[in-house]
Amino acid sequence: MSVVRLRQAAKESVSGLPREFWWLWTSTLVNRLGGFVATFLAMYLTVDRGYSAMFAGLVGALHGLGGAVSAVVSGVLTDRLGRRPTLLVSQLSTAVTVAVLGFVQDPVAIAVVACLVGMTSNASRPAVQAMIADIVAPEDRVRAFSLNYWAINLGFAVSAAAAGLIARHGYLTLFLADAGMTLLCAVIVFVKLPESRPERHAATEGADGAADAPEPEVGLGTVLRDRRFMAVVALSYLIATIIQQAFVALPVAMGAEGLSSTDFGVAIATNGVLIVAVQIPVTRFIEHRDPAPLLVASALLTGAGFGLTAFAGSVGMYALAVTVWTLGEIINSPTQMGLVARLSPTHGRGRYQGMYTLSWSLASLTAPLVGGAVIDHFGADTLWAGSAVVGLVTATGYAALGRTLRGRPGGGGPGVEESGVGASEVEELGVGELGVGGSGVGGSGVEGSGVGESGAEGSGVGGLGGRGSAAEGSGVGVGAAASPAEAGGAVRAGAGGGGGQGGGLAGRRGHGVDLGTNGLMSLPGSEGDGSR
């Protein structure tokens, strides 16, 4: 590929995203450039402080426990207080707790403060992910999540390599540097990022005198009842338990073989370097493809990579194993985050992202305990073989989920673009499906549309369509076996530029169309482009 084509590909990869996204991206990069503590905590405890692998696993588990608690709480706060306040509180409190962790000496104090670090640092994730979904158009979200993940790993690659060298002069320097970079991240958010939480609209009266339905409330119960989304969370947990072994079990195993913190830094930096090198071109290939096969491939690669670690005995072989599972991570992360954003309703993004983050936090809680215990009692090779099996099980689960997503488009959950909760955002589709004879509530927004879908034997002329209440909006109602004469599939649609009213209502300046399986008939519209 020529330099010109490479330059053009790079330009297309980063173009079209809003300025606010790039400031959020910058804050993420700064934060990860100083992300030393989580990466080197296990080696700090075992090599520098002389604690056992079991104690390192316990501390890592408490760090994950704090993250699990904050994932749910910060998800709620992200929806209620806003994205920006949640980010600021998280980053400021993380800077304080990380600095304190560098000074505490007592084992109990170390465990408690590590739990607080996990709680404060993880609280920013639902807010960041919800803000990306707020400010980036749906068709660009996979690319945006990929770029943000790229920033995380660019910072990680630099910090992992640098931290291994800095640790030679004392781990306290790592803790203080981490705290300082997190504080700088908070300054960027405070100065450059406005609040992005969408406004919730109450019930309003349309031009025809009919009342628009108020936007439904989304609580944690809504998330838990969304079976497809919770399946994504469960599979995310499984893949996360494998990947988390890289930050607890892997450094412990390398240390037991006589390798140093610098060796581990070089091996794990392969992960960040590879992501920086190929994440963007891989995303250009996967961003508009069916997510299910991609997630299956990612799980197989992740399991195989950690299974290969059982045969590693040198830094080079460890780096090769890291390369294999990193390829799985590169595919999995943006694909899965894009799917989560797709399934999340607009005014429940914080809660949905919080539940998704919880899957990783629970993995951070359980993976260190399992990894440390297995290494202590059965050896590291048993852990790596088990990781390969978990990868295979996860791939099977993703394949089953893919069949569900393809077989029931729009069924089951309250997600934007696929469910009965209306969306209110730029260029986003709200879809309603309430079963047999039911009707959906559509979304509203600039260039947005609302869709209501009634089931078999719905209303005689088709289901009630949602309203497109802003410029170039539209409403569509679809009914199966709709007409009295069983001329099924009757469609009623209305569209009006500059404030279209859906649901088969008359628009402005045009004519109407009645479309059924028995033929096409053109009818005069009432002042224009409304169809019957």
Side-chain angles (χ1 to χ4, degrees):
M1 182 179 289
S2 67
V3 175
V4 174
R5 292 184 64 186
L6 284 173
R7 186 178 302 170
Q8 180 65 25
K11 182 179 179 181
E12 291 175 357
S13 297
V14 301
S15 63
L17 297 172
R19 179 180 300 176
E20 293 83 359
F21 167 79
W22 289 112
W23 282 116
L24 185 62
W25 182 90
T26 301
S27 71
T28 299
L29 177 62
V30 170
N31 192 25
R32 291 307 300 162
L33 283 171
F36 306 125
V37 171
T39 304
F40 281 82
L41 183 58
M43 186 163 280
Y44 163 70
L45 293 173
T46 56
V47 176
D48 188 71
R49 303 301 301 275
Y51 293 112
S52 67
M54 181 65 76
F55 179 76
L58 174 62
V59 172
L62 289 173
H63 184 276
L65 176 62
V69 172
S70 70
V72 177
V73 174
S74 65
V76 174
L77 293 178
T78 295
D79 284 337
R80 289 188 176 180
L81 298 182
R83 288 52 161 147
R84 187 170 179 265
T86 305
L87 274 175
L88 289 172
V89 171
S90 169
Q91 291 160 355
L92 291 173
S93 56
T94 299
V96 173
T97 54
V98 165
V100 171
L101 184 60
F103 289 98
V104 294
Q105 301 293 323
D106 182 74
V108 175
I110 290 174
V112 171
V113 177
C115 183
L116 293 176
V117 170
M119 185 178 297
T120 56
S121 60
N122 205 53
S124 65
R125 293 186 180 181
V128 169
Q129 292 162 3
M131 184 174 279
I132 291 175
D134 292 339
I135 62 182
V136 176
E139 63 271 18
D140 293 328
R141 283 183 189 153
V142 170
R143 181 161 57 99
F145 282 119
S146 179
L147 286 167
N148 193 67
Y149 195 66
W150 186 77
I152 290 172
N153 285 278
L154 175 60
F156 174 74
V158 175
S159 66
L165 300 175
I166 297 173
R168 294 180 177 180
H169 305 286
Y171 277 90
L172 179 60
T173 306
L174 293 181
F175 289 89
L176 295 179
D178 194 331
M181 297 295 277
T182 305
L183 187 60
L184 178 58
C185 182
V187 172
I188 293 173
V189 170
F190 180 77
V191 174
K192 293 295 185 180
L193 281 176
E195 178 56 59
S196 66
R197 181 181 58 172
E199 293 294 328
R200 180 178 293 278
H201 301 289
T204 58
E205 185 173 299
D208 61 336
D212 293 325
E215 296 176 12
E217 293 288 339
V218 177
L220 288 176
T222 309
V223 183
L224 294 173
R225 289 190 296 271
D226 189 340
R227 288 178 295 178
R228 285 188 305 170
F229 178 77
M230 291 306 297
V232 174
V233 172
L235 293 170
S236 172
Y237 166 77
L238 290 178
I239 200 118
T241 57
I242 307 175
I243 295 176
Q244 286 297 319
Q245 301 302 335
F247 306 105
V248 178
L250 183 60
V252 169
M254 291 183 69
E257 293 188 6
L259 298 172
S260 66
S261 59
T262 302
D263 295 329
F264 170 65
V266 170
I268 200 64
T270 305
N271 171 261
V273 170
L274 189 61
I275 291 174
V276 170
V278 304
Q279 180 75 71
I280 302 305
V282 168
T283 299
R284 285 173 56 82
F285 175 76
I286 69 174
E287 63 178 327
H288 298 303
R289 296 179 182 270
D290 183 357
L294 296 173
L295 292 172
V296 170
S298 73
L300 292 174
L301 285 169
T302 303
F306 278 91
L308 184 62
T309 307
F311 303 97
S314 64
V315 176
M317 283 299 297
Y318 277 110
L320 176 61
V322 170
T323 298
V324 175
W325 62 257
T326 296
L327 292 174
E329 185 182 1
I330 287 171
I331 298 171
N332 181 272
S333 181
T335 305
Q336 191 158 250
M337 285 190 288
L339 181 60
V340 169
R342 170 185 165 190
L343 295 176
S344 304
T346 304
H347 294 285
R349 282 178 180 148
R351 289 173 174 86
Y352 271 69
Q353 294 290 353
M355 191 62 66
Y356 171 67
T357 301
L358 178 63
S359 67
W360 283 84
S361 300
L362 288 177
S364 298
L365 170 62
T366 57
L369 291 175
V370 173
V374 171
I375 288 176
D376 281 348
H377 293 91
F378 303 102
D381 289 350
T382 301
L383 177 64
W384 307 134
S387 298
V389 172
V390 173
L392 181 61
V393 171
T394 306
T396 304
Y398 278 131
L401 177 65
R403 289 192 295 270
T404 301
L405 290 172
R406 287 189 295 270
R408 295 179 59 197
V416 173
E417 304 179 17
E418 297 196 39
S419 63
V421 176
S424 173
E425 64 170 32
V426 176
E427 298 183 355
E428 183 131 1
L429 175 67
V431 180
E433 181 176 11
L434 299 181
V436 176
S439 63
V441 179
S444 64
V446 177
E447 300 184 8
S449 65
V451 179
E453 181 173 355
S454 65
E457 298 181 7
S459 61
V461 287
L464 173 63
R467 297 184 181 278
S469 64
E472 301 183 18
S474 65
V476 180
V478 181
S483 73
E486 296 187 355
V491 176
R492 298 178 9 145
Q501 299 296 329
L505 300 175
R508 303 258 180 209
R509 294 186 302 279
H511 65 278
V513 177
D514 191 337
L515 175 62
T517 56
N518 286 345
L520 174 66
M521 177 173 62
S522 179
L523 301 173
S526 173
E527 286 187 80
D529 209 7
S531 21
R532 280 197 335 131

